[in-house]
Amino acid sequence: NNTKRHFLLEAIRQNKITDYTGAGFSAFNGASITANDSTSPDGSTNATLMTTTGTSNELIQQAGIGVSSGQPYTISGYFKLKSGTLSNSNNAFKGLDGFNGGGITGLTFNSTLTSEWQRLSFTVTSSGTLGRVQIKCEDAAEILVWGLQVEEGSYATSIIKTSGSAVTRSADV
């Protein structure tokens, strides 16, 4: 009898990120990853900590994400600034290679990340068959990540948990 409640019915979707917590990402150029560092938005202690020292091109990423050329993909994730100040213009959540013609498409963190969890997402059209997702920070900072997702479609859906491989959620009926 509560008029404020509703059902969330979602279409079939596949999360192409193989570790939605970010712990399975690769770290480059001095960045480091600490799995299960903090409490995530779902209340579990499974948020991944990305630590950077302020060196150029520090990042974590998942490469080799299989996509279909010419299709829309929504890239999303939850982020929280644990410590540090973000001022460098190269701090961003990005889709590269097979996303948007090989160029860099994404969101800059500097004016966005706070000490509260927030979901960031953007939609791109794929231009190849392999893409990568990158989280880059060139300031000395600690950024918590969780709920990373790449899904074919023009909008983000609820988190599809993955651990080692892509996972498909059936359509709700």
Side-chain angles (χ1 to χ4, degrees):
N1 293 333
N2 184 339
T3 60
K4 295 181 182 180
R5 295 183 187 251
H6 61 276
F7 289 107
L8 173 62
L9 300 176
E10 295 183 302
I12 187 171
R13 288 287 180 96
Q14 181 181 66
N15 185 356
K16 295 182 172 294
I17 296 286
T18 58
D19 184 342
Y20 81 108
T21 67
F25 275 42
S26 299
F28 297 94
N29 304 320
S32 64
I33 296 172
T34 306
N36 305 318
D37 179 81
S38 299
T39 304
S40 69
D42 77 354
S44 304
T45 305
N46 62 353
T48 296
L49 177 67
M50 173 185 169
T51 304
T52 56
T53 62
T55 303
S56 179
N57 290 317
E58 286 185 278
L59 58 95
I60 65 172
Q61 76 176 10
Q62 179 177 334
I65 299 170
V67 294
S68 298
S69 186
Q71 297 302 309
Y73 284 86
T74 299
I75 302 171
S76 62
Y78 283 86
F79 299 88
K80 179 179 178 179
L81 184 63
K82 187 173 181 180
S83 71
T85 302
L86 301 180
S87 61
N88 193 300
S89 62
N90 287 325
N91 300 331
F93 178 37
K94 303 177 180 182
L96 294 95
D97 295 335
F99 299 113
N100 204 34
I104 297 173
T105 300
L107 301 168
T108 302
F109 281 148
N110 295 341
S111 60
T112 308
L113 289 191
T114 68
S115 60
E116 300 295 323
W117 282 108
Q118 56 192 300
R119 190 175 194 189
L120 304 178
S121 69
F122 58 96
T123 301
V124 295
T125 299
S126 62
S127 60
T129 57
L130 284 178
R132 61 185 160 126
V133 170
Q134 185 181 90
I135 303 164
K136 183 177 180 182
C137 183
E138 294 189 344
D139 288 316
E142 292 181 310
I143 298 172
L144 292 167
V145 300
W146 180 85
L148 299 168
Q149 193 151 292
V150 171
E151 56 190 311
E152 186 175 336
S154 61
Y155 59 90
T157 65
S158 61
I159 300 302
I160 302 169
K161 296 179 179 181
T162 59
S163 180
S165 64
V167 172
T168 301
R169 176 186 53 233
S170 298
D172 294 318
V173 292

